[in-house]
Structure formats: C-alpha cells, structure tokens
Amino acid sequence: MYFPRSPRCTSKLIRGEKETDDKSAWTLYVDGSATVERSSEGLILSSPDGFTIQQAITFTFKETNNQAEYEALLSGLRLAESLGIKSLVIYSDSQIVVKQTNGEYIAKDPKLAQYQVMVRSILKTILGTTILQINREENSKADELSKLVQNTSDLSSSVYFKELRAPNTDRAEILCISSPDNWMTPYIAYLKVGTLPEDQNKARYLKYKAARFFLEDDQLYRRTFSASTLKCVDPDEADYYPWEVHEGICGDHLAAKAPAYKIIRQGYYWPTIHADVVAYVKKCSKCQKFSNVPK
C-alpha cells in the first residue's frame, strides 16, 4: 500500500516482503531502544555489493523511545552523508519516525519537531531516498545491535561501538545561533551584547530593524501589529514550512501568497517568507499538472 509522496523521501508500509526498484541503492536499517536503565541505538549500512558497516551506540543521557529512534536515524543518515551516498533505502520499525518524515503525521512534540527538521536537512543532500516501515521481526539485527551495548564483550570486531554524550538537538541549537549564514545572527548579537556592524549605515539600519525584535530564552521573536508575536525560524525550518502548509498533511495546494499568511497566522516568521512561498508554489509539480489553466 502506497502513501502520498514527500518532496524529499517516499514511505511505504511493508508488512512482509521488502520491495525496492533501485538495485544500486544502499540499505540502512536503524533501531532505537530506551528503557529505565539505558538508551541506545543500532544501525546497519550495506552497499549493493555486500559491504556492511554495523554500529552500536549507547547514550550517556536519558531519551524516550521515539527520541532514540530519531537519534538512530540521524546517525545512519550522517554516516551515509559522510560516504557520499546518493541513493539510499532506509528501514525502520518506528511508525512515528516513518510517518512524520513522510508528512503523514505532524511532529507536535517540540523535541520530535527538532529532530524532524534535522532529518529533512540531511535528506536534501541524499537524493533518491526511500524510507520504509517494517515489522520488528524484520528489523531484528538492528535491534540486537542496540541492545549489545549492555554487554560490550559480545561485540564482534565487525561492529563499531560508540558513545553519544549529548542529544543531537542540543548541538543543533548551538549551531543555529552561531551560524554565520543565519539571518538572525546580527539581531541576536545586537540585542544580547549590543554588537553593531562597523559600517555606520548598516549599523543604523540594524538598530532601526531590531526595534521590532526581542529575545526570550535566546530565541528571537518579532513584534507585529496585526498578528500575535512571531517566532523567528532558521533557514532549515523555513525550507520545511512551505511544504507542510502547501502540500503536507493539512495542505490544500493554495496558490500565490495564501500559504505565507497561513504560516504567519501559526506564529512563524523569516524575512523572505512571501518570496520563498511563492517560489515554492511555482515549482509544485502537482499544481503544474492538475491546477486550472486560466483563459
């Protein structure tokens, strides 16, 4: 049974036999595990010719089961990205992770929403990615790897053991604030410590624009007259919201600037929101195929 396609990945629910059309694609099995005593993950990355990398990763911090599943997926994607893989089939037994990545479920939990933004950011660099949900029995090897960390003496020489000391979301928040390409950086620097550009014209312009912004818990917000306070988002999140509003689970393929106003009404902002949304709508393949043609 096939589900609607996401612009960056495709999801199929597999109840038994696994099917893939691309015989040259790498395969990635991921599984996360969280109990009262420990949290860990396991992943298996295999090439078409049989070369296999196995990793067993333990956490020094507590995670929920869904968060552990996301950590496993992120570790596998980063490994694939570092190897320059361009075609990848991912197998996971987590319904939440698969359907949120596919766009069928909305990540309402703030922590899972952070993971989802990071996953979509990495998926941009790996073309031809497919994510499939499989039964737990079919993911038993990755599940065994996630539990091997309880007894490191059981690890064979072909398994790489790692230790994760902090959640990936914690590192993402730090990078988000310090990124030189982030449009929010000048505003945060000025509002936090009073830093201004050396050029007087640019400094005057920044002070004028910064009057509409304020910081709360190191998060930048924008004041508005016609709407509630808006949360400022980074480029990775700004890339996700147009897709979600236009053709995600609640999207109805609105044209022109309507999706931009829907995003603003939900409380999000970035400077080029209108231009980005209009550009995204123009590139929507479904709109090109099925929308009404004006006379």
Side-chain angles (χ1 to χ4, degrees), residues 190-210:
Y190 171 67
L191 295 172
K192 204 169 186 179
V193 295
T195 303
L196 287 170
E198 295 181 0
D199 185 274
Q200 292 185 358
N201 292 330
K202 292 182 178 179
R204 190 182 303 112
Y205 180 77
L206 177 60
K207 291 173 68 175
Y208 168 75
K209 297 288 288 185

Side-chain angles (χ1 to χ4, degrees), residues 229-291:
T229 301
L230 304 179
K231 178 183 177 181
C232 299
V233 299
D234 59 32
D236 287 335
E237 291 179 286
D239 183 69
Y240 168 70
Y241 290 135
W243 171 83
E244 179 63 50
V245 173
H246 182 66
E247 56 179 314
I249 190 170
C250 296
D252 50 5
H253 290 271
L254 291 175
K257 296 182 179 180
Y261 290 110
K262 289 185 68 175
I263 295 173
I264 292 173
R265 286 198 299 269
Q266 292 301 315
Y268 300 99
Y269 170 83
W270 67 94
T272 58
I273 181 171
H274 292 286
D276 292 347
V277 170
V278 171
Y280 183 87
V281 171
K282 288 181 179 179
K283 294 187 290 186
C284 177
S285 60
K286 293 181 181 178
C287 288
Q288 298 295 325
K289 291 178 181 178
F290 304 113
S291 63

Side-chain angles (χ1 to χ4, degrees), residues 2-45:
Y2 290 88
F3 291 100
R5 294 192 172 186
S6 161
R8 297 181 185 90
C9 61
T10 305
S11 174
K12 276 193 296 185
L13 177 61
I14 304 297
R15 291 300 181 188
E17 185 179 357
K18 299 181 288 296
E19 299 176 359
T20 56
D21 298 328
D22 189 356
K23 301 301 181 182
S24 62
W26 288 61
T27 59
L28 173 65
Y29 288 81
V30 296
D31 191 41
S33 176
T35 63
V36 177
E37 295 79 19
R38 59 162 184 84
S39 299
S40 55
E41 64 183 73
L43 63 92
I44 305 170
L45 181 65

Side-chain angles (χ1 to χ4, degrees), residues 110-131:
K111 199 78 170 180
L112 298 187
Q114 287 181 284
Y115 280 115
Q116 184 58 212
V117 169
M118 297 175 68
V119 167
R120 291 186 177 278
S121 178
I122 299 177
L123 285 175
K124 297 178 191 175
T125 65
I126 307 176
L127 303 177
T129 304
T130 304
I131 182 166

Side-chain angles (χ1 to χ4, degrees), residues 49-63:
D49 56 4
F51 173 76
T52 300
I53 301 174
Q54 301 180 79
Q55 284 189 352
I57 304 174
T58 184
F59 308 154
T60 59
F61 50 92
K62 293 294 183 181
E63 289 270 55

